[in-house]
Amino acid sequence: MNIILLGAPGSGKGSTSEQLISRKGMTQLSTGDLFRKNIAEKTALGLEAQKFMNAGKYVPDEITNGMVEDYLQTNHDNLVFDGFPRTRAQAEALDKMLEKLGTKIDKVIYLHVDEEVLFDRLTGRLICPKCKRSYHKITRKPQVEWICDFDGAELVTRPDDAPDKIATRIDEYNNLTATLINFYQAHGKLVILDVNGLSVEAIYFDIEEVLN
Ligand code: ADP
């Protein structure tokens, strides 16, 4: 089974993916993580993507779709798509890629969070560079300040979590991604979850119910 997590930056797609990995053995395909890996390895794709990401803008569809198509050649089952697709062109390209591979998207779970909450979450976010888990300076502190509870790595803030970049990212989401809610509703695949105020565990149990 393949699912898409749809939602604004800061809606909890990454934390929800973690739950689906550890409790259900799914595999996360996060285009943001793939881009950051390419940036760290200084690949041509990474250098190109970095220009857009640093500005809080979406990476162009051709680059993003190409990267996903490569990934899917070796792995296309039991996936959680986190942060892809984000545009209508990406959604249409994904359907074609999966069809060629004899598979499909089964469910799209839209995580709805109020916009004012998103901003607070992103400005306070701390990330483990090693395992990608996220924390929050106030609401989800690690046991030891700036240290990951799971692997002891020093936590970092993401350059695109600066307030001006967050505003651009939320605009990009509203202008280009929100339309996918209707797209997947029309395809009969959409499940809307209002996750305001829910813990990551509570979100997971809601999703489990939907998937069963
Ligand atoms: P968030 O969901 O909080 O924005 P991500 O790690 O998923 O964080 O994405 C970080 C950045 O990577 C995005 O702001 C964008 O620049 C780029 N990116 C990730 N996924 C895509 C995508 N599907 N299409 C275009 N750009 C993307």
Side-chain angles (χ1 to χ4, degrees):
M1 177 168 55
N2 293 313
I3 65 173
I4 293 173
L5 295 180
L6 191 61
S11 58
K13 302 186 295 295
S15 306
T16 304
S17 300
E18 266 172 38
Q19 296 283 315
L20 289 160
I21 295 167
S22 62
R23 295 175 187 261
K24 251 187 153 19
M26 297 187 81
T27 303
Q28 176 192 29
L29 196 181
S30 157
T31 39
D33 285 347
L34 285 180
F35 283 133
R36 280 183 289 275
K37 183 166 180 279
N38 274 279
I39 291 170
E41 292 170 356
K42 298 193 166 52
T43 66
L45 185 145
L47 294 175
E48 185 61 20
Q50 191 171 28
K51 293 187 228 159
F52 299 94
M53 290 172 76
N54 282 351
K57 293 283 199 185
Y58 283 177
V59 178
D61 288 336
E62 316 80 74
I63 300 177
T64 310
N65 288 344
M67 180 176 75
V68 171
E69 190 155 27
D70 280 352
Y71 179 99
L72 292 176
Q73 299 317 305
T74 49
N75 202 349
H76 46 259
D77 204 19
N78 219 15
L79 290 180
V80 187
F81 288 85
D82 163 6
F84 183 89
R86 283 190 206 225
T87 64
R88 172 118 192 192
Q90 290 180 12
E92 286 168 351
L94 178 63
D95 280 346
K96 289 202 185 107
M97 291 176 212
L98 292 177
E99 200 185 327
K100 266 199 226 160
L101 293 163
T103 183
K104 64 177 174 37
I105 293 297
D106 297 287
K107 283 255 179 294
V108 178
I109 297 166
Y110 167 52
L111 303 177
H112 174 77
V113 177
D114 294 338
E115 201 162 303
E116 55 275 20
V117 178
L118 299 175
F119 203 82
D120 285 346
R121 282 196 187 166
L122 294 170
T123 46
R125 183 157 72 170
L126 300 171
I127 308 270
C128 173
K130 204 162 159 190
C131 71
K132 312 285 178 281
R133 284 186 171 84
S134 71
Y135 298 83
H136 189 278
K137 286 175 193 160
I138 297 161
T139 57
R140 206 172 157 207
K141 288 184 183 176
Q143 281 159 20
V144 180
E145 244 182 68
W146 288 87
I147 299 292
C148 178
D149 293 346
F150 294 88
D151 56 33
E154 192 170 342
L155 303 178
V156 296
T157 53
R158 261 173 47 180
D160 58 347
D161 280 343
D164 56 327
K165 309 288 166 49
I166 293 173
T168 309
R169 284 161 60 209
I170 293 178
D171 280 352
E172 289 279 84
Y173 172 80
N174 285 330
N175 294 334
L176 297 166
T177 309
T179 177
L180 293 184
I181 296 168
N182 293 334
F183 177 86
Y184 285 116
Q185 196 148 39
H187 285 69
K189 295 191 173 173
L190 189 78
V191 177
I192 300 176
L193 292 184
D194 184 343
V195 297
N196 278 292
L198 293 191
S199 67
V200 283
E201 287 79 13
I203 298 171
Y204 172 77
F205 291 124
D206 280 355
I207 293 180
E208 196 175 45
E209 215 174 286
V210 164
L211 298 182
N212 292 338

